[in-house]
Structure formats: C-alpha cells, structure tokens
Amino acid sequence: MSKLSGKIALVTGGSRGIGEAIVRRLAADGATVFFTFNSSPDKAHAVAAEIGANALQADVANADSVQNLVKTVLEHPANPAKRVDILVNNAGITKDTLVLRMSESDWDSVIDTNLKGAFLMSKALTKPMMSQRAGKIINIGSIVGITGNAGQVNYSASKAGLIGLTKSFAKELASRNILVNCVAPGYIDTDMTAKISDEQKKALQSSIPLGRTAQPTEIASVVAFLASDDASYVTAQTIVVDGGLAS
Ligand code: NDP
C-alpha cells in the first residue's frame, strides 16, 4: 500500500514550481489531492488532468475565498469522507525591493499572501481536523525567514512569521494529534527565482556547500515525509532544506 493512500491533501499554489512538485509527489504517494491556483488556470487544469488531482481557484489572502475553498473541498464528490488530512500552505509571492523603495502595498500584499494566507487556511481547517483528531499542517517558509535578506524585508518578515505561527499552532493543536511543521527551502529553481541573472546565480551556487541550487522535487520529498506516518512524532519544527547555505 502507498504511504498516503486514503489520505486527503490540500495544497495551496499547486499550479507551478514547488507547489506543483508537492502535488505530484503526494498524488504519487497515494493521496487524493486538491490544490489551488490563483491566476494560472490553464497550467493548473493541465497538471490536475495529468495526475488525477483536483484544481480549484482561490486567493489565500482573502478570507471569503478561503472559506469557499474549504467548503468546496469538504463537500467535493472526490472527498466522500469530508475530511482533509494534510494541508500544505505553499502559496507565496515576492515583491522585492530595498526598504526605501518598498511601498505599503508591497508590504501588505506579501504579508497577506504568505503569512495571513497560512493563518486563514490553517484556521479554516482547524475545526475539521480537531473533529478528526488527526491532521498534518506543513507551512513552506524560507531560509530568509531565519537569516534575513537585503531587499526582502516584507518577504523575510512573512517567512519569519510563519515559523512563529507554526510553533504556536503546533502547541495549541498537539492535544488533538494535529502536527504542524515548517519546511524552509534555500534556493530552488522555479519561476520565483528565474529573474536572477546567470552571474548572480553562479555567485550564489559557489556559496552553497552542496554547490548547486535545488529542484522543487527535493522540497516535495521532505513535505511527503512530514505528511506521512513516518513523521508521527515530529511537530513544531522548521526543517531547513538549503544544501547547507544558511549553516
Ligand atoms: P512560484 O512563483 O513558482 O509559484 C507560486 C504559487 O503560488 C503559484 O501556484 C501561484 O498560483 C500561487 N499563488 C500566488 N499567490 C497566490 C494567492 N494569493 N492565492 C493562492 N495562490 C497563490 O513560487 P515557488 O514555487 O518558487 O514558491 C512556492 C513557495 O516556496 C512559496 O511560499 C515561496 O515563498 C517558497 N520558497 C521558494 C523558494 C525558491 O527558491 N523558489 C525558496 C524558499 C521558499 P498561480 O500560478 O495561479 O499564480
């Protein structure tokens, strides 16, 4: 039997990049997967059709959108048990610029998507997971939430916030067997990091002890571990997956 067979997973931002790799991995491990997209329906529906997952539009920064999404997943014909066993808060954006140029809206949109989005999603699923007396919540943070980074005051604050959110949710929900963890990637090859020049990438690679950037599948495998029963005694942790960069 596959590791996640019979489990229902919901992944935010599963249309591209790390989220897409997580969706593919959880489905390959046997889970029934629901995932969200925000602005790229064609890509999302293509992924869903290819692997037999379910793609749904949602804006994680919007409370009504999150409520509708959770209701749809819990009432979906592909989810007759009306449960969610695994929530992966992956959706995230950057609006990088130096602090003197950073606008209030650059700050708000990044905090709303990356941090408030994880709060809204986790809160919406807390009640169902409490009734199930089981659940896994996995937040996708970043090493810059630990190290900080020039030009990313908004983004690194959102990712640092996710670490505190993870620990607090974990402590509050542990008695109901809901395990909450964070995965903090280093530099992963996705659309988000495609803007970096070849020269910058070379310099970055030379500072990574493993000497290379990572593929999204290398984050998905850690998420799959945390989502599985193999991680039944792991909660409130931030697992850094960065090739040794921040150590
Ligand atoms: P991408 O830019 O490749 O993909 C972002 C995903 O988030 C897309 O699926 C997008 O949907 C979705 N999304 C964006 N805004 C919203 C929203 N408001 N509501 C719902 N979904 C939304 O990013 P990555 O795959 O690179 O990053 C995934 C996560 O990993 C993020 O949290 C990021 O911060 C984190 N991370 C990435 C690193 C990297 O090096 N790439 C390093 C460390 C952390 P749509 O396609 O529909 O727009």
Coordinates of all heavy atoms in Angstrom, one line a residue, residues 131-207:
S131 N -12.0 17.6 14.9 CA -13.0 16.6 15.0 C -12.5 15.2 14.5 O -12.9 14.2 15.1 CB -14.3 16.9 14.1 OG -14.6 18.2 14.1
Q132 N -11.6 15.3 13.5 CA -10.9 14.0 13.1 C -9.9 13.5 14.1 O -9.5 12.3 14.0 CB -10.1 14.3 11.8 CG -10.9 14.7 10.6 CD -10.0 15.3 9.5 OE1 -10.5 16.0 8.6 NE2 -8.7 15.2 9.5
R133 N -9.5 14.4 15.0 CA -8.5 14.0 16.0 C -7.2 13.6 15.3 O -6.4 12.7 15.7 CB -8.9 12.9 16.9 CG -10.0 13.4 17.9 CD -9.6 13.1 19.3 NE -10.3 13.6 20.4 CZ -11.2 14.5 20.5 NH1 -11.7 15.1 19.4 NH2 -11.8 14.9 21.6
A134 N -6.9 14.2 14.1 CA -5.7 14.0 13.4 C -5.6 15.0 12.3 O -6.6 15.5 11.7 CB -5.7 12.6 12.7
G135 N -4.3 15.3 11.9 CA -4.1 16.2 10.8 C -2.6 16.6 10.8 O -1.9 16.5 11.7
K136 N -2.2 17.0 9.6 CA -0.8 17.5 9.4 C -0.9 18.8 8.6 O -1.6 18.9 7.6 CB -0.1 16.5 8.4 CG 0.1 15.1 9.0 CD 1.3 15.0 9.9 CE 1.5 13.7 10.5 NZ 2.1 12.7 9.7
I137 N -0.3 19.8 9.2 CA -0.2 21.1 8.5 C 1.3 21.4 8.2 O 2.1 21.3 9.2 CB -0.8 22.2 9.4 CG1 -2.3 22.0 9.6 CG2 -0.6 23.6 8.7 CD1 -3.0 23.0 10.6
I138 N 1.6 21.7 7.0 CA 3.0 21.9 6.6 C 3.1 23.3 5.9 O 2.4 23.5 4.9 CB 3.5 20.8 5.7 CG1 3.4 19.4 6.4 CG2 5.0 21.0 5.3 CD1 3.3 18.2 5.5
N139 N 3.8 24.2 6.5 CA 4.0 25.5 6.0 C 5.3 25.6 5.2 O 6.3 25.1 5.7 CB 4.0 26.5 7.2 CG 2.7 26.5 7.9 OD1 1.6 26.5 7.3 ND2 2.7 26.4 9.2
I140 N 5.3 26.2 4.1 CA 6.5 26.4 3.3 C 7.1 27.8 3.6 O 6.5 28.8 3.2 CB 6.3 26.2 1.8 CG1 5.6 24.9 1.5 CG2 7.6 26.4 1.1 CD1 6.4 23.6 1.9
G141 N 8.1 27.8 4.4 CA 8.8 29.0 4.8 C 9.9 29.3 3.9 O 9.8 29.2 2.6
S142 N 11.0 29.8 4.4 CA 12.2 30.1 3.6 C 13.4 30.3 4.6 O 13.2 30.8 5.7 CB 12.0 31.4 2.8 OG 13.2 31.8 2.3
I143 N 14.6 30.0 4.1 CA 15.7 30.3 5.0 C 15.9 31.8 5.3 O 16.4 32.2 6.3 CB 17.1 29.8 4.4 CG1 17.3 30.2 3.0 CG2 17.2 28.3 4.7 CD1 18.8 30.2 2.6
V144 N 15.3 32.7 4.4 CA 15.5 34.1 4.7 C 14.6 34.5 5.8 O 14.8 35.6 6.4 CB 15.2 35.0 3.4 CG1 16.1 34.6 2.3 CG2 13.8 35.0 3.0
G145 N 13.7 33.7 6.2 CA 12.9 33.9 7.5 C 13.8 33.7 8.7 O 13.4 34.1 9.8
I146 N 14.9 33.1 8.5 CA 15.9 32.8 9.6 C 17.0 33.8 9.5 O 17.5 34.4 10.5 CB 16.4 31.3 9.6 CG1 15.2 30.4 9.7 CG2 17.4 31.1 10.6 CD1 15.5 28.9 9.4
T147 N 17.5 34.0 8.3 CA 18.8 34.7 8.1 C 18.5 36.2 7.8 O 19.4 37.1 8.0 CB 19.6 34.2 6.9 OG1 18.8 34.3 5.7 CG2 19.9 32.7 7.1
G148 N 17.3 36.5 7.3 CA 17.0 37.9 6.7 C 17.7 38.0 5.4 O 18.6 37.2 5.0
N149 N 17.3 39.0 4.6 CA 17.9 39.2 3.3 C 17.7 40.7 2.8 O 16.5 41.1 2.8 CB 17.3 38.2 2.3 CG 18.2 38.1 1.0 OD1 19.4 38.4 1.1 ND2 17.6 37.7 -0.1
A150 N 18.7 41.3 2.4 CA 18.6 42.7 1.9 C 17.6 42.7 0.7 O 17.7 41.8 -0.2 CB 19.9 43.2 1.5
G151 N 16.7 43.6 0.6 CA 15.8 43.7 -0.5 C 14.5 42.8 -0.3 O 13.6 42.8 -1.1
Q152 N 14.4 42.2 0.9 CA 13.3 41.3 1.1 C 12.7 41.5 2.6 O 12.4 40.5 3.2 CB 13.7 39.8 0.9 CG 14.0 39.4 -0.5 CD 14.0 37.9 -0.7 OE1 14.7 37.2 0.0 NE2 13.3 37.5 -1.7
V153 N 12.6 42.7 3.0 CA 12.1 43.0 4.3 C 10.7 42.4 4.5 O 10.4 41.8 5.5 CB 12.1 44.5 4.6 CG1 11.2 44.9 5.7 CG2 13.6 45.0 4.9
N154 N 9.9 42.6 3.5 CA 8.5 42.1 3.5 C 8.5 40.6 3.5 O 7.8 39.9 4.3 CB 7.6 42.7 2.4 CG 8.3 42.6 1.0 OD1 9.4 42.1 0.9 ND2 7.6 43.1 0.0
Y155 N 9.2 40.0 2.6 CA 9.2 38.5 2.4 C 9.8 37.8 3.6 O 9.2 36.9 4.1 CB 9.9 38.2 1.1 CG 10.0 36.8 0.7 CD1 8.9 36.1 0.1 CD2 11.1 36.0 0.9 CE1 8.9 34.8 -0.2 CE2 11.2 34.7 0.5 CZ 10.1 34.1 -0.1 OH 10.2 32.8 -0.4
S156 N 11.0 38.3 4.0 CA 11.6 37.6 5.1 C 10.8 37.7 6.4 O 10.7 36.8 7.2 CB 13.1 38.1 5.3 OG 13.1 39.5 5.6
A157 N 10.1 38.9 6.6 CA 9.2 39.0 7.8 C 8.1 38.1 7.7 O 7.7 37.4 8.7 CB 8.7 40.5 7.9
S158 N 7.5 37.9 6.5 CA 6.4 36.9 6.3 C 6.9 35.5 6.6 O 6.2 34.7 7.3 CB 5.8 37.0 4.9 OG 6.6 36.4 4.0
K159 N 8.1 35.2 6.2 CA 8.6 33.8 6.4 C 9.0 33.6 7.9 O 8.9 32.5 8.4 CB 9.7 33.5 5.4 CG 9.3 33.5 4.0 CD 8.2 32.5 3.7 CE 7.8 32.4 2.2 NZ 6.8 31.4 1.9
A160 N 9.6 34.6 8.5 CA 9.9 34.5 10.0 C 8.6 34.3 10.7 O 8.5 33.5 11.7 CB 10.6 35.8 10.4
G161 N 7.6 35.1 10.3 CA 6.2 35.0 11.0 C 5.7 33.6 10.9 O 5.1 33.0 11.8
L162 N 5.9 32.9 9.7 CA 5.5 31.5 9.5 C 6.1 30.5 10.5 O 5.4 29.6 10.9 CB 5.8 31.0 8.1 CG 4.8 31.3 7.0 CD1 5.3 30.7 5.7 CD2 3.4 30.8 7.4
I163 N 7.3 30.8 10.9 CA 8.0 29.9 11.9 C 7.3 30.1 13.3 O 7.0 29.1 13.9 CB 9.5 30.3 12.0 CG1 10.2 29.9 10.7 CG2 10.1 29.5 13.2 CD1 11.6 30.3 10.6
G164 N 7.0 31.3 13.7 CA 6.2 31.5 14.9 C 4.8 30.9 14.9 O 4.3 30.3 15.8
L165 N 4.2 31.2 13.7 CA 2.8 30.6 13.5 C 2.9 29.1 13.6 O 2.0 28.5 14.3 CB 2.3 31.1 12.2 CG 1.0 30.6 11.7 CD1 0.2 31.7 10.9 CD2 1.1 29.4 10.7
T166 N 3.9 28.5 13.0 CA 4.0 27.0 13.0 C 4.1 26.5 14.5 O 3.4 25.6 14.9 CB 5.3 26.6 12.3 OG1 5.1 27.0 10.9 CG2 5.5 25.1 12.3
K167 N 5.0 27.1 15.3 CA 5.2 26.7 16.6 C 4.0 26.8 17.5 O 3.6 26.0 18.3 CB 6.4 27.4 17.3 CG 7.7 27.1 16.7 CD 8.8 27.9 17.3 CE 10.2 27.6 16.7 NZ 11.3 28.4 17.2
S168 N 3.3 28.0 17.3 CA 2.1 28.3 18.1 C 0.9 27.4 17.8 O 0.3 26.8 18.6 CB 1.7 29.7 18.0 OG 2.8 30.5 18.4
F169 N 0.7 27.2 16.5 CA -0.4 26.3 16.0 C -0.1 24.9 16.5 O -0.9 24.1 17.0 CB -0.5 26.2 14.5 CG -1.6 27.1 13.9 CD1 -1.4 28.3 13.5 CD2 -2.9 26.6 13.8 CE1 -2.4 29.1 12.9 CE2 -3.9 27.3 13.3 CZ -3.7 28.6 12.9
A170 N 1.2 24.5 16.5 CA 1.6 23.1 16.9 C 1.3 22.9 18.4 O 0.8 21.9 18.8 CB 3.1 22.9 16.6
K171 N 1.6 23.9 19.2 CA 1.4 23.8 20.6 C -0.1 23.8 21.0 O -0.5 23.0 21.8 CB 2.2 24.9 21.4 CG 3.7 24.6 21.3 CD 4.5 25.6 22.0 CE 6.0 25.2 21.9 NZ 6.9 26.1 22.5
E172 N -0.8 24.6 20.2 CA -2.2 24.7 20.5 C -3.0 23.4 20.1 O -4.0 23.0 20.7 CB -2.8 25.9 19.8 CG -4.0 26.5 20.4 CD -4.4 27.8 19.8 OE1 -3.6 28.7 19.7 OE2 -5.6 28.0 19.5
L173 N -2.5 22.8 19.0 CA -3.3 21.7 18.5 C -2.7 20.3 18.8 O -3.3 19.3 18.3 CB -3.5 21.9 17.0 CG -4.1 23.2 16.5 CD1 -4.2 23.3 15.0 CD2 -5.5 23.4 17.1
A174 N -1.6 20.2 19.5 CA -1.0 18.9 19.7 C -1.9 17.9 20.4 O -1.9 16.7 20.1 CB 0.3 19.1 20.5
S175 N -2.7 18.4 21.4 CA -3.5 17.5 22.1 C -4.6 16.8 21.3 O -5.1 15.8 21.7 CB -4.2 18.2 23.3 OG -5.1 19.2 22.7
R176 N -4.8 17.4 20.1 CA -5.8 16.8 19.1 C -5.0 16.0 18.0 O -5.6 15.7 17.0 CB -6.7 17.8 18.5 CG -7.5 18.6 19.5 CD -8.4 17.8 20.3 NE -9.2 18.6 21.2 CZ -10.5 18.9 21.0 NH1 -11.1 18.4 20.0 NH2 -11.1 19.6 21.9
N177 N -3.8 15.7 18.3 CA -3.0 15.0 17.3 C -2.9 15.7 15.9 O -2.9 15.0 14.9 CB -3.5 13.5 17.1 CG -2.6 12.6 16.4 OD1 -1.3 12.8 16.5 ND2 -3.1 11.7 15.7
I178 N -2.8 17.0 16.0 CA -2.6 17.8 14.7 C -1.2 18.2 14.8 O -0.8 18.9 15.7 CB -3.6 18.9 14.6 CG1 -5.0 18.4 14.6 CG2 -3.3 19.8 13.4 CD1 -6.1 19.5 14.8
L179 N -0.4 17.8 13.8 CA 1.1 18.1 13.8 C 1.4 19.2 12.8 O 0.9 19.1 11.7 CB 1.8 16.8 13.4 CG 2.1 15.8 14.5 CD1 0.8 15.3 15.2 CD2 2.8 14.6 14.0
V180 N 2.1 20.2 13.3 CA 2.3 21.4 12.4 C 3.8 21.6 12.3 O 4.5 21.8 13.3 CB 1.6 22.6 13.0 CG1 1.7 23.8 12.1 CG2 0.2 22.3 13.4
N181 N 4.3 21.7 11.1 CA 5.7 21.9 10.8 C 5.9 22.9 9.7 O 5.0 23.2 8.9 CB 6.4 20.5 10.5 CG 6.4 19.6 11.7 OD1 7.2 19.9 12.7 ND2 5.6 18.5 11.7
C182 N 7.2 23.3 9.6 CA 7.5 24.2 8.5 C 8.7 23.7 7.8 O 9.6 23.1 8.4 CB 7.9 25.6 9.2 SG 8.4 26.9 8.1
V183 N 8.7 23.9 6.4 CA 9.9 23.5 5.6 C 10.5 24.8 5.1 O 9.7 25.6 4.5 CB 9.5 22.6 4.5 CG1 10.7 22.3 3.6 CG2 8.9 21.2 5.0
A184 N 11.8 25.0 5.4 CA 12.4 26.3 4.9 C 13.4 26.0 3.8 O 14.5 25.7 4.1 CB 13.1 26.9 6.1
P185 N 13.0 26.2 2.6 CA 13.9 26.0 1.4 C 14.9 27.1 1.3 O 14.7 28.2 1.7 CB 13.0 26.0 0.2 CG 11.6 25.9 0.7 CD 11.6 26.5 2.1
G186 N 16.0 26.7 0.7 CA 17.0 27.7 0.3 C 16.7 28.2 -1.1 O 15.6 28.8 -1.3
Y187 N 17.6 27.9 -2.1 CA 17.4 28.5 -3.4 C 16.9 27.3 -4.3 O 17.6 26.4 -4.6 CB 18.7 29.1 -3.9 CG 18.5 29.7 -5.3 CD1 18.5 31.1 -5.4 CD2 18.4 29.0 -6.4 CE1 18.3 31.7 -6.6 CE2 18.2 29.6 -7.7 CZ 18.2 31.0 -7.8 OH 18.0 31.5 -9.0
I188 N 15.7 27.4 -4.8 CA 15.1 26.4 -5.6 C 14.8 26.9 -7.0 O 14.3 28.1 -7.2 CB 13.7 25.9 -5.0 CG1 13.8 25.8 -3.5 CG2 13.3 24.6 -5.6 CD1 14.9 24.9 -2.9
D189 N 15.0 26.2 -8.1 CA 14.8 26.6 -9.4 C 13.3 26.6 -9.8 O 12.7 25.6 -10.0 CB 15.5 25.7 -10.4 CG 17.0 25.8 -10.3 OD1 17.5 26.9 -10.0 OD2 17.7 24.8 -10.5
T190 N 12.7 27.8 -9.7 CA 11.2 28.0 -10.1 C 11.1 29.3 -10.7 O 12.0 30.1 -10.8 CB 10.3 27.9 -8.8 OG1 10.6 29.1 -8.1 CG2 10.5 26.7 -8.0
D191 N 9.8 29.6 -11.1 CA 9.6 31.0 -11.7 C 10.0 32.1 -10.8 O 10.4 33.2 -11.2 CB 8.1 31.1 -12.0 CG 7.6 30.2 -13.1 OD1 8.4 29.6 -13.8 OD2 6.3 30.1 -13.2
M192 N 9.8 31.8 -9.4 CA 10.1 32.9 -8.4 C 11.6 33.3 -8.5 O 11.9 34.5 -8.2 CB 9.8 32.3 -7.0 CG 9.8 33.4 -5.9 SD 9.3 32.7 -4.3 CE 7.6 33.1 -4.4
T193 N 12.5 32.4 -8.8 CA 13.9 32.7 -8.8 C 14.5 32.9 -10.2 O 15.7 33.1 -10.3 CB 14.6 31.6 -8.0 OG1 14.2 30.3 -8.5 CG2 14.4 31.7 -6.5
A194 N 13.6 32.8 -11.2 CA 14.1 32.8 -12.6 C 14.6 34.2 -13.0 O 15.4 34.3 -13.9 CB 13.0 32.4 -13.5
K195 N 14.3 35.2 -12.2 CA 14.7 36.6 -12.5 C 16.2 36.8 -12.3 O 16.8 37.8 -12.8 CB 13.9 37.6 -11.7 CG 12.4 37.5 -11.8 CD 11.7 38.2 -10.6 CE 10.4 37.5 -10.4 NZ 9.9 37.8 -9.0
I196 N 16.8 36.0 -11.4 CA 18.2 36.2 -11.0 C 19.1 35.9 -12.2 O 18.9 35.0 -13.0 CB 18.5 35.2 -9.9 CG1 17.7 35.7 -8.6 CG2 20.0 35.2 -9.6 CD1 17.9 34.8 -7.4
S197 N 20.1 36.9 -12.4 CA 21.0 36.7 -13.6 C 21.9 35.5 -13.4 O 22.1 35.1 -12.3 CB 21.8 38.0 -13.7 OG 22.7 38.1 -12.7
D198 N 22.5 35.1 -14.6 CA 23.4 33.9 -14.6 C 24.6 34.2 -13.7 O 25.0 33.3 -12.9 CB 23.9 33.6 -16.0 CG 22.8 32.9 -16.8 OD1 21.7 32.6 -16.2 OD2 22.9 32.8 -18.0
E199 N 25.0 35.5 -13.7 CA 26.2 35.9 -12.9 C 25.9 35.7 -11.4 O 26.6 35.2 -10.6 CB 26.5 37.3 -13.2 CG 28.0 37.7 -12.9 CD 28.2 39.1 -13.3 OE1 27.9 39.4 -14.5 OE2 28.8 39.9 -12.6
Q200 N 24.7 36.3 -11.0 CA 24.2 36.2 -9.6 C 24.1 34.7 -9.2 O 24.4 34.3 -8.1 CB 22.9 36.9 -9.4 CG 23.0 38.4 -9.4 CD 21.6 39.0 -9.4 OE1 20.7 38.7 -10.2 NE2 21.4 40.0 -8.6
K201 N 23.6 33.9 -10.1 CA 23.3 32.5 -9.8 C 24.6 31.8 -9.6 O 24.8 31.0 -8.7 CB 22.5 31.8 -11.0 CG 21.9 30.5 -10.5 CD 20.9 30.0 -11.6 CE 20.5 28.6 -11.2 NZ 19.6 27.9 -12.1
K202 N 25.6 32.1 -10.4 CA 27.0 31.5 -10.2 C 27.5 31.8 -8.9 O 28.1 30.9 -8.2 CB 27.9 32.0 -11.3 CG 28.5 30.9 -12.2 CD 29.5 31.5 -13.1 CE 29.7 30.6 -14.3 NZ 30.3 31.3 -15.4
A203 N 27.4 33.1 -8.5 CA 28.0 33.5 -7.2 C 27.2 32.8 -6.0 O 27.8 32.3 -5.1 CB 27.8 35.0 -7.0
L204 N 25.9 32.7 -6.2 CA 25.1 32.0 -5.2 C 25.5 30.6 -5.1 O 25.7 30.0 -4.0 CB 23.6 32.2 -5.6 CG 22.7 31.5 -4.6 CD1 22.5 32.5 -3.4 CD2 21.3 31.4 -5.2
Q205 N 25.6 29.9 -6.2 CA 26.0 28.5 -6.2 C 27.3 28.2 -5.5 O 27.4 27.2 -4.8 CB 26.1 27.9 -7.6 CG 24.7 27.6 -8.2 CD 24.7 27.3 -9.6 OE1 25.6 27.7 -10.4 NE2 23.7 26.6 -10.1
S206 N 28.2 29.2 -5.7 CA 29.6 28.9 -5.0 C 29.5 29.1 -3.5 O 30.3 28.6 -2.8 CB 30.6 29.8 -5.6 OG 30.3 31.2 -5.3
S207 N 28.4 29.8 -3.0 CA 28.3 29.9 -1.6 C 27.4 28.8 -1.0 O 27.3 28.7 0.3 CB 27.6 31.3 -1.3 OG 26.3 31.3 -1.7

